[in-house]
Amino acid sequence: MDNNEYERIDDAHQVANGSVAHCDKAHLTQFSLSELQRGLYEEVERLRFEVEHLRDQQQALNRTPQSTDFRVSEKGEDHEGDDSNTRHPADRRGVLRRRPVTLILALIVAAFLCVGGMRFWNYLQSYEWTDDAEIDGHLDPVSTRVNDTVVRVYVENTYHVKAGQPLVDLDPRDYQVAVENAQANLAQAEQGVKAAQQNYELSVANLDAAGATNVKAQLDVKRYGELLSQAVIPRETDDQIVMTGRVDAAAVNSDRAAVGAAFQKIGQARAAVQAAQASLDQAKLNLSYTHIVAPATGVVDNKTVQVGQRVQPGEQLLTLVPLNDIWITADFRETQLRKMRPGQSVTVHVDTTGRDYKGYVEGMPGATGELDSLLPPENATGNYVKVVQRLPVRIRLYPGENRDHELRPGMSVEPTVWVNDQQKTGEQRTLRITTAAP
């Protein structure tokens, strides 16, 4: 055995003992063309792999001393030549036995994820939300009812006024004169009634006198007729008495008709009194219209009236916004109304205040908003393109939610309708509203 072979055997022993970590490149270059050197290099690589594999097995045995049935030799034979370092199924079962807490925690986490996912899905299906909503309310226009000149304005924009509080004064002098004239006409008409009553009484007296004269004339006709039959008086005298009786009877009929006419005059005079009274009432109303007061409690907005301005009947002077009667108009898509019903609870988030308010669905729309537009659609003409429509849903806040009157018409809100809530009856809503009322 020559010196080269002794050196090769000595290097192999050093590799097996773990003292050789790599091949000396300077030593290998001396025999780079010989077959012996290549074989030695392959053997060193194989021995290095086996040493690393045995080291891993030793560490595994140190971690699991109870698995005595594990044989290192059989394990080495099964994994010999396997570069992927795959473990035996028994080794995987050993890992599960070594880490039961990890397995239980993984199962608990998976169960929580499943339950949480289901609850999250049910939560997503339990409400309908939109940001296409705003607060609505009454905008009461205040206008004049007479033609006059503005002499005083009591308010400005953003003023908070109460019902009956003065807003604008017009020049009342013309209407005061009209009231006085109407009062004079009323007094004249009342005097006319008195005169008509007196005429009626006079007509009745004349009728009584004519009746008495007629009675005497008819007696004379009867008496003179007997005398004529006895040839005591001439016929001319009897004819004259008969003619007088007829005249007196006609006078009675004339006086009776005069009584009826006088009674009609009384009715006409009383009607004239009523007309004069109506004119006086109208004059007083026109005079009252010169003092314009607030029709309701609210905030002044859109004021355009100025002192000295000549206003016409129906001309708008300002707008009054009542804050105690507001609601929310939410334009939901038609696909969001499948489970929406009146009475369902609503949570309204207001961007201005950053708060959430409680309310309920007061009413469902009668038609889509597009049909109420200035130019409603005509699907029978031209090309038809299906567009998801929106319908305005009316939402009312519970009493006490807007106690400080911070909400104003036109504010943007985001309502959330809880469609899975059971529909409340009218008595339940009334009871809740009564309970929540301040």
Side-chain angles (χ1 to χ4, degrees):
M1 184 178 298
D2 53 5
N3 293 329
N4 294 334
E5 292 181 357
Y6 281 115
E7 291 176 359
R8 182 174 60 83
I9 294 173
D10 186 73
D11 293 337
H13 284 291
Q14 292 179 0
V15 172
N17 292 330
S19 60
V20 179
H22 62 280
C23 182
D24 191 1
K25 185 175 181 182
H27 178 69
L28 291 176
T29 53
Q30 296 176 2
F31 304 96
S32 60
L33 300 178
S34 64
E35 294 292 335
L36 183 60
Q37 183 180 3
R38 286 195 298 270
L40 181 60
Y41 182 80
E42 293 175 355
E43 186 177 358
V44 169
E45 292 295 330
R46 182 178 62 81
L47 290 175
R48 183 190 301 171
F49 175 80
E50 289 180 356
V51 168
E52 293 177 354
H53 187 65
L54 289 174
R55 187 179 300 166
D56 293 338
Q57 290 180 354
Q58 183 64 29
Q59 293 177 357
L61 289 174
N62 292 334
R63 288 195 300 269
T64 57
Q66 68 275 12
S67 58
T68 57
D69 56 345
F70 185 84
R71 296 183 180 180
V72 178
S73 61
E74 294 178 358
K75 182 82 174 178
E77 291 176 1
D78 293 337
H79 289 274
E80 184 176 359
D82 188 7
D83 296 335
S84 61
N85 293 331
T86 57
R87 295 183 179 271
H88 196 270
D91 187 27
R92 290 195 295 269
R93 290 193 298 268
V95 173
L96 297 178
R97 287 195 300 269
R98 290 193 302 271
R99 299 181 179 177
V101 178
T102 303
L103 177 60
I104 294 174
L105 290 177
L107 293 177
I108 293 175
V109 171
F112 272 107
L113 289 177
C114 292
V115 174
M118 291 298 296
R119 293 179 65 87
F120 182 69
W121 174 257
N122 293 333
Y123 173 76
L124 292 179
Q125 299 299 318
S126 65
Y127 68 89
E128 294 293 347
W129 172 89
T130 184
D131 58 354
D132 188 2
E134 65 177 6
I135 298 176
D136 278 338
H138 298 288
L139 302 179
D140 298 338
V142 178
S143 59
T144 179
R145 304 181 67 172
V146 293
N147 182 6
D148 207 342
T149 303
V150 178
V151 295
R152 189 170 183 180
V153 179
Y154 294 92
V155 295
E156 294 292 340
N157 286 330
T158 70
Y159 277 26
H160 189 278
V161 297
K162 296 182 179 180
Q165 182 174 340
L167 300 178
V168 179
D169 277 343
L170 304 179
D171 189 358
R173 291 174 295 179
D174 292 341
Y175 297 98
Q176 289 174 349
V177 172
V179 170
E180 294 174 358
N181 187 20
Q183 290 174 346
N185 293 334
L186 177 61
Q188 184 179 359
E190 290 174 349
Q191 293 299 324
V193 171
K194 293 180 180 180
Q197 289 178 347
Q198 292 177 356
N199 290 332
Y200 174 74
E201 293 173 356
L202 178 61
S203 299
V204 171
N206 292 332
L207 177 61
D208 294 339
T213 303
N214 184 44
V215 171
K216 179 180 180 301
Q218 298 304 323
L219 291 176
D220 291 342
V221 170
K222 183 178 180 181
R223 186 171 55 253
Y224 277 90
E226 293 176 352
L227 293 175
L228 180 63
S229 62
Q230 296 175 3
V232 176
I233 59 174
R235 179 172 293 277
E236 289 80 5
T237 303
D238 181 70
D239 293 339
Q240 185 179 0
I241 295 301
V242 172
M243 184 63 65
T244 302
R246 290 177 180 179
V247 170
D248 291 339
V252 169
N253 293 332
S254 176
D255 291 339
R256 186 178 293 114
V259 169
F263 184 77
Q264 295 293 331
K265 292 290 185 181
I266 293 176
Q268 293 177 359
R270 290 176 178 175
V273 170
Q274 293 179 354
Q277 183 65 48
S279 298
L280 177 60
D281 294 340
Q282 184 63 53
K284 290 181 178 180
L285 279 177
N286 292 337
L287 179 61
S288 67
Y289 293 155
T290 60
H291 183 65
I292 302 174
V293 297
T297 301
V299 178
V300 177
D301 188 29
N302 193 24
K303 169 186 163 295
T304 59
V305 61
Q306 300 293 335
V307 175
Q309 180 180 351
R310 186 72 178 180
V311 294
Q312 302 295 327
E315 183 177 350
Q316 183 173 343
L317 307 179
L318 52 89
T319 301
L320 195 62
V321 183
L323 301 180
N324 56 355
D325 186 15
I326 60 173
W327 63 92
I328 290 92
T329 301
D331 299 322
F332 285 97
R333 297 190 303 272
E334 53 187 335
T335 54
Q336 295 180 289
L337 303 181
R338 295 172 182 172
K339 297 188 293 182
M340 195 175 297
R341 299 293 183 272
Q344 291 174 341
S345 300
V346 182
T347 301
V348 181
H349 178 76
V350 181
D351 297 340
T352 303
T353 62
R355 292 174 48 193
D356 291 340
Y357 298 82
K358 301 298 181 181
Y360 61 93
V361 177
E362 184 179 24
M364 302 300 291
T368 61
E370 190 174 11
L371 291 180
D372 297 330
S373 62
L374 181 61
L375 298 175
E378 293 291 342
N379 295 333
T381 61
N383 297 326
Y384 170 70
V385 178
K386 183 177 180 180
V387 179
V388 178
Q389 300 297 321
R390 289 186 178 268
L391 293 91
V393 178
R394 190 184 182 100
I395 299 172
R396 178 75 64 173
L397 297 179
Y398 287 115
E401 290 291 322
N402 187 31
R403 189 171 302 176
D404 50 2
H405 300 296
E406 290 184 350
L407 303 182
R408 306 298 171 92
M411 287 184 177
S412 298
V413 298
E414 297 177 0
T416 302
V417 180
W418 303 102
V419 295
N420 285 348
D421 286 353
Q422 294 182 355
Q423 181 177 350
K424 297 180 177 64
T425 61
E427 293 124 356
Q428 290 175 338
R429 278 204 310 275
T430 303
L431 178 61
R432 180 168 182 179
I433 292 173
T434 305
T435 305

